[in-house]
Protein backbone atom coordinates (compact mmCIF):
# COMPACT_ATOMS: atom_id res chain seq x y z
CA UNK A 1 0.00 0.00 0.00
CA UNK A 2 1.22 3.50 -0.81
CA UNK A 3 1.69 6.01 1.97
CA UNK A 4 -1.45 7.77 3.17
CA UNK A 5 -1.93 11.52 3.05
CA UNK A 6 -3.27 13.88 5.69
CA UNK A 7 -6.37 14.42 3.55
CA UNK A 8 -7.05 10.67 3.40
CA UNK A 9 -6.80 10.51 7.19
CA UNK A 10 -9.18 13.47 7.60
CA UNK A 11 -11.66 11.95 5.14
CA UNK A 12 -11.56 8.61 6.98
CA UNK A 13 -12.12 10.28 10.37
CA UNK A 14 -15.16 12.13 9.02
CA UNK A 15 -16.47 8.96 7.32
CA UNK A 16 -16.15 7.03 10.59
CA UNK A 17 -18.23 9.79 12.22
CA UNK A 18 -15.44 10.60 14.69
CA UNK A 19 -15.74 7.21 16.40
CA UNK A 20 -12.63 6.21 18.39
CA UNK A 21 -10.10 3.84 16.88
CA UNK A 22 -8.96 1.18 19.36
CA UNK A 23 -5.46 -0.05 18.61
CA UNK A 24 -5.30 -2.54 21.44
CA UNK A 25 -6.85 -3.43 24.78
CA UNK A 26 -5.27 -3.47 28.22
CA UNK A 27 -4.09 -6.96 29.14
CA UNK A 28 -5.49 -6.52 32.67
CA UNK A 29 -8.82 -4.70 32.38
CA UNK A 30 -9.47 -4.97 28.61
CA UNK A 31 -9.95 -1.19 28.47
CA UNK A 32 -9.48 0.37 25.03
CA UNK A 33 -6.24 2.15 24.15
CA UNK A 34 -6.17 4.18 20.97
CA UNK A 35 -7.17 7.34 19.16
CA UNK A 36 -10.12 9.63 19.86
CA UNK A 37 -11.46 12.25 17.47
CA UNK A 38 -13.34 15.50 17.95
CA UNK A 39 -15.16 17.51 15.32
CA UNK A 40 -14.09 21.12 14.87
CA UNK A 41 -15.45 24.17 13.06
CA UNK A 42 -16.15 23.80 9.36
CA UNK A 43 -12.99 24.00 7.30
CA UNK A 44 -10.78 22.93 10.21
CA UNK A 45 -9.27 19.45 10.52
CA UNK A 46 -10.65 17.19 13.27
CA UNK A 47 -8.85 17.20 16.59
CA UNK A 48 -6.94 14.00 17.28
CA UNK A 49 -6.01 12.59 20.66
CA UNK A 50 -4.28 9.43 21.85
CA UNK A 51 -5.89 7.93 24.94
CA UNK A 52 -3.48 5.59 26.69
CA UNK A 53 -5.49 5.36 29.90
CA UNK A 54 -7.24 2.02 30.17
CA UNK A 55 -8.98 2.41 33.52
CA UNK A 56 -7.04 0.04 35.77
CA UNK A 57 -4.26 2.49 36.60
CA UNK A 58 -4.49 5.01 39.42
CA UNK A 59 -2.83 7.58 37.20
CA UNK A 60 -4.90 9.04 34.38
CA UNK A 61 -2.62 11.08 32.11
CA UNK A 62 -5.62 12.22 30.07
CA UNK A 63 -5.79 12.33 26.33
CA UNK A 64 -2.56 13.36 24.62
CA UNK A 65 -3.41 15.70 21.75
CA UNK A 66 -1.89 14.71 18.43
CA UNK A 67 -1.93 16.21 14.97
CA UNK A 68 -3.39 14.75 11.79
CA UNK A 69 0.22 14.47 10.57
CA UNK A 70 1.21 12.38 13.60
CA UNK A 71 -1.69 10.01 12.97
CA UNK A 72 -0.72 9.87 9.30
CA UNK A 73 2.83 8.96 10.36
CA UNK A 74 1.45 6.14 12.51
CA UNK A 75 0.37 4.53 9.24
CA UNK A 76 3.33 5.58 7.11
CA UNK A 77 5.99 4.26 9.50
CA UNK A 78 4.72 0.73 8.87
CA UNK A 79 5.72 -1.67 6.14
CA UNK A 80 3.37 -1.49 3.13
CA UNK A 81 1.76 -4.78 4.17
CA UNK A 82 1.16 -3.75 7.78
CA UNK A 83 0.05 -0.27 6.67
CA UNK A 84 -2.59 -1.90 4.45
CA UNK A 85 -3.86 -3.98 7.39
CA UNK A 86 -4.02 -0.95 9.69
CA UNK A 87 -5.70 1.19 7.04
CA UNK A 88 -8.26 -1.54 6.37
CA UNK A 89 -9.05 -1.68 10.09
CA UNK A 90 -9.33 2.11 10.27
CA UNK A 91 -11.55 2.40 7.21
CA UNK A 92 -13.67 -0.72 7.93
CA UNK A 93 -14.88 0.97 11.08
CA UNK A 94 -15.51 4.07 8.97
CA UNK A 95 -18.06 2.09 6.99
CA UNK A 96 -19.95 1.30 10.20
CA UNK A 97 -18.84 -2.34 10.30
CA UNK A 98 -17.29 -3.77 13.41
CA UNK A 99 -14.04 -5.69 13.52
CA UNK A 100 -14.37 -9.46 13.68
Amino acid sequence: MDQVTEQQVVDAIVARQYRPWTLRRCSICEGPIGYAFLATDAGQPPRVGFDSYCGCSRFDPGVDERSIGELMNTFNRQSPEHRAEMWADFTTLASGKERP
Side-chain angles (χ1 to χ4, degrees), residues 49-93:
F50 186 76
D51 188 0
S52 61
Y53 177 65
C54 60
C56 69
S57 170
R58 293 182 190 208
F59 174 70
D60 179 0
V63 175
D64 181 27
E65 189 146 355
R66 304 281 173 92
S67 70
I68 295 291
E70 288 173 303
L71 178 54
M72 176 192 71
N73 288 335
T74 297
F75 291 106
N76 291 337
R77 284 191 300 255
Q78 311 304 317
S79 69
E81 296 80 16
H82 190 215
R83 182 182 314 124
E85 290 173 13
M86 288 177 67
W87 188 252
D89 182 52
F90 190 61
T91 56
T92 297
L93 291 176

Side-chain angles (χ1 to χ4, degrees), residues 15-72:
R16 63 186 292 117
Q17 300 175 351
Y18 302 92
R19 285 186 296 241
W21 181 37
T22 300
L23 293 176
R24 64 183 180 87
R25 296 204 169 266
C26 173
S27 62
I28 299 169
C29 72
E30 294 295 316
I33 296 170
Y35 286 93
F37 308 105
L38 183 64
T40 56
D41 294 331
Q44 297 295 315
R47 291 179 60 196
V48 177
F50 186 76
D51 188 0
S52 61
Y53 177 65
C54 60
C56 69
S57 170
R58 293 182 190 208
F59 174 70
D60 179 0
V63 175
D64 181 27
E65 189 146 355
R66 304 281 173 92
S67 70
I68 295 291
E70 288 173 303
L71 178 54
M72 176 192 71

